[in-house]
Amino acid sequence: MITLALSKGRIFDETLPLLAAAGIEVLEDPEKSRKLILPTNQPNVRVVLVRATDVPTYVEYGGADIGVTGKDTLIEHGGQGLYQPLDLRIAQCRVSVAVRSDFDYAQAVRKGSRLKVATKYTSIARDFFATKGVHVDMVKLYGSMELAPLTGLADAIVDLVSTGNTLRANHLVEVERIMDISSHLVVNQAALKLKQAPLRRIIDAFASAIPPENN
Ligand code: PRT
Ligand code: MG
């Protein structure tokens, strides 16, 4: 049995064409079913639905053999115990710094002020500001980062941006692009040895179906 860990939403949706290339069809719609384990048309392949941030953990400890996860999540997890054979180029976005439109970020950096930064991505943010030589007080949040500068909880946020609509709707402006993000295939290292043939088949089929570079 091969167990694939996916999160509901954009990662599940954008992985479907890759699965199709491997001849795998998920037999239930996760938005309609309450099941957490979904069968596929292949009796030896199943999908488990987990929280996006839990995908690397499931694969690391063998709760799943393979998974699809954002580079953001992978960096925060650390990637230990995971083989990362493919950048799937799906669920693309970027990690950016954003502030209220009336906050002078450039001046705060120039003056060497201490910045209060709210984020779910503390590793990425810490590395980024350390490299810039900016001192930060980090506030760890688990969601709705956009609210932090609006309520005085933080001067800046580090968050994912794709269209920029969420920032605009909350009167925030993107002041730095930290890195581009896409989703990657991760594989449990022991499973790759024990289930080499079926996993290789899936990895090769995914590789052949990666969308072309578009930006
Ligand atoms: O939502 P939940 O808290 O359950 O979990 P999650 O946010 O970790 O999962 P999910 O499914 O929302 O995201 C899974 C992965 O998709 C992320 O780890 C990213 O690698 C990738 N991805 C790609 C995104 C986005 N684009 C994205 N736009 N993840 C989140 N967003 C959010 C962003 O956080 C912000 O709130 O969308 C909002 C911004 O979008 P725009 O288009 O308004 O800029
Ligand atoms: Mg989300």
Side-chain angles (χ1 to χ4, degrees):
M1 177 63 76
I2 299 293
T3 302
L4 166 67
L6 295 176
S7 52
K8 275 206 249 185
R10 70 191 99 221
I11 288 186
F12 183 89
D13 298 344
E14 296 187 33
T15 300
L16 287 183
L18 302 172
L19 285 169
I24 300 167
E25 192 190 325
V26 184
L27 297 178
E28 279 184 66
D29 178 352
E31 301 303 332
K32 293 189 185 130
S33 169
R34 286 176 184 276
K35 286 189 189 165
L36 297 174
I37 301 180
L38 306 179
T40 73
N41 63 333
Q42 308 213 358
N44 60 337
V45 180
R46 62 180 184 174
V47 169
V48 292
L49 295 175
V50 303
R51 187 80 192 256
T53 41
D54 290 336
V55 168
T57 308
Y58 266 81
V59 177
E60 176 186 2
Y61 293 108
D65 302 301
I66 52 176
V68 176
T69 182
K71 188 76 188 172
D72 48 319
T73 306
L74 203 45
I75 292 172
E76 293 297 324
H77 167 269
Q80 62 277 7
L82 299 174
Y83 176 58
Q84 302 172 27
L86 294 176
D87 177 353
L88 301 173
R89 295 213 285 263
I90 60 169
Q92 293 188 337
C93 58
R94 56 192 183 271
V95 184
S96 292
V97 181
V99 298
R100 267 167 61 152
S101 48
D102 59 2
F103 180 80
D104 193 341
Y105 174 78
Q107 174 171 291
V109 169
R110 219 170 26 242
K111 286 198 322 197
S113 313
R114 263 192 110 79
L115 266 191
K116 227 179 193 191
V117 176
T119 187
K120 170 173 157 185
Y121 303 103
T122 49
S123 290
I124 294 172
R126 229 177 265 293
D127 273 9
F128 175 74
F129 286 111
T131 303
K132 263 182 93 72
V134 172
H135 293 285
V136 295
D137 292 317
M138 201 73 74
V139 182
K140 167 91 183 185
L141 290 178
Y142 293 89
S144 302
M145 265 82 87
E146 297 87 359
L147 198 54
L150 305 179
T151 54
L153 183 66
D155 304 312
I157 59 171
V158 168
D159 194 8
L160 301 177
V161 180
S162 76
T163 61
N165 289 338
T166 306
L167 293 182
R168 270 188 294 279
N170 291 292
H171 310 289
L172 300 175
V173 289
E174 189 176 359
V175 287
E176 306 245 29
R177 267 176 99 124
I178 300 182
M179 64 175 77
D180 289 329
I181 295 292
S182 55
S183 281
H184 288 240
L185 189 68
V186 292
V187 184
N188 176 277
Q189 288 174 346
L192 191 61
K193 296 200 188 85
L194 297 168
K195 306 178 184 179
Q196 198 165 23
L199 284 175
R200 274 282 156 217
R201 245 193 320 275
I202 293 173
I203 295 168
D204 292 345
F206 273 36
S208 74
I210 292 173
E213 207 132 15
N214 57 357
N215 48 9

